[in-house]
Amino acid sequence: LLPVPGQEEARPEVIVSAVASVAAATPTDQVVIAVVLDHAEHWHTWPNKPELPPELEDVIPIPTTISLAEQPASISHVGPVQWPEPGEVGVDLAPVTIQSFVRRTVAYLPLIIAADAPTGPVDLNVQVRYQACDDSICLRPTTETIPVRFDVVAAGAPGAGAPNQPELFTGFDASIFA
């Protein structure tokens, strides 16, 4: 189907995706899930710990959260989420700015593969809850479940630990594993 001339296709306010740092990991490996929120122009989401100026004391922000829907036995540790710094956004309700996630925002969910994890695929469901707002309105909160898959392989297997989309992980601070 071709678009009708003069009618633009509506773009979602936020597009959420998630990617594992590797396609294959071995038991006890550290794996990171990059959770990407791509915001449409003029849209933002609340950070995980929203702070509002006194002028907006009646606003009830819905923080962005990231978690696993369930933790499979092949994962021994999950989190904490490494959040990016929010950006400043102007609002029409008062002549103030607030801190929000804007444009492309990447948060990281660190995982450790269990020592006794069997070889085979690991299917995760990453749950992302957020509230999309523009400069004058906020939509109802949304929870999206994003599937992520990687394989657990035997130590020394070809491709184990090879980076997957390394450009997404340049902002990750590996000291979180300490």
Side-chain angles (χ1 to χ4, degrees):
L1 294 171
L2 296 174
V4 176
Q7 291 184 350
E8 293 183 23
E9 197 173 313
R11 180 183 190 272
E13 294 81 14
V14 181
I15 298 172
V16 181
S17 60
V19 175
S21 59
V22 294
T26 61
T28 73
D29 275 358
Q30 299 169 345
V31 176
V32 180
I33 306 300
V35 179
V36 181
L37 288 87
D38 281 311
H39 299 82
E41 189 174 355
H42 305 295
W43 287 91
H44 60 274
T45 53
W46 295 103
N48 58 306
K49 293 183 180 175
E51 295 179 18
L52 294 174
E55 296 89 345
L56 298 177
E57 66 184 22
D58 293 336
V59 173
I60 301 171
I62 306 296
T64 299
T65 61
I66 297 171
S67 61
L68 290 183
E70 57 187 51
Q71 182 175 330
S74 56
I75 305 296
S76 65
H77 294 83
V78 177
V81 174
Q82 185 182 82
W83 295 99
E85 288 294 321
E88 281 196 352
V89 174
V91 293
D92 284 349
L93 299 175
V96 296
T97 59
I98 58 171
Q99 297 292 305
S100 289
F101 293 144
V102 294
R103 294 178 281 291
R104 174 165 265 207
T105 298
V106 183
Y108 301 101
L109 181 62
L111 311 169
I112 298 178
I113 308 301
D116 61 352
T119 59
V122 176
D123 290 307
L124 303 174
N125 286 308
V126 178
Q127 287 190 325
V128 182
R129 184 170 193 252
Y130 63 90
Q131 184 177 36
C133 305
D134 68 8
D135 60 354
S136 60
I137 63 161
C138 288
L139 304 178
R140 288 178 177 236
T142 300
T143 300
E144 293 191 39
T145 302
I146 311 298
V148 176
R149 174 180 262 198
F150 60 89
D151 291 317
V152 172
V153 296
N164 184 27
Q165 298 186 34
E167 68 282 356
L168 272 180
F169 298 90
T170 57
F172 177 69
D173 180 1
S175 69
I176 200 166
F177 283 112

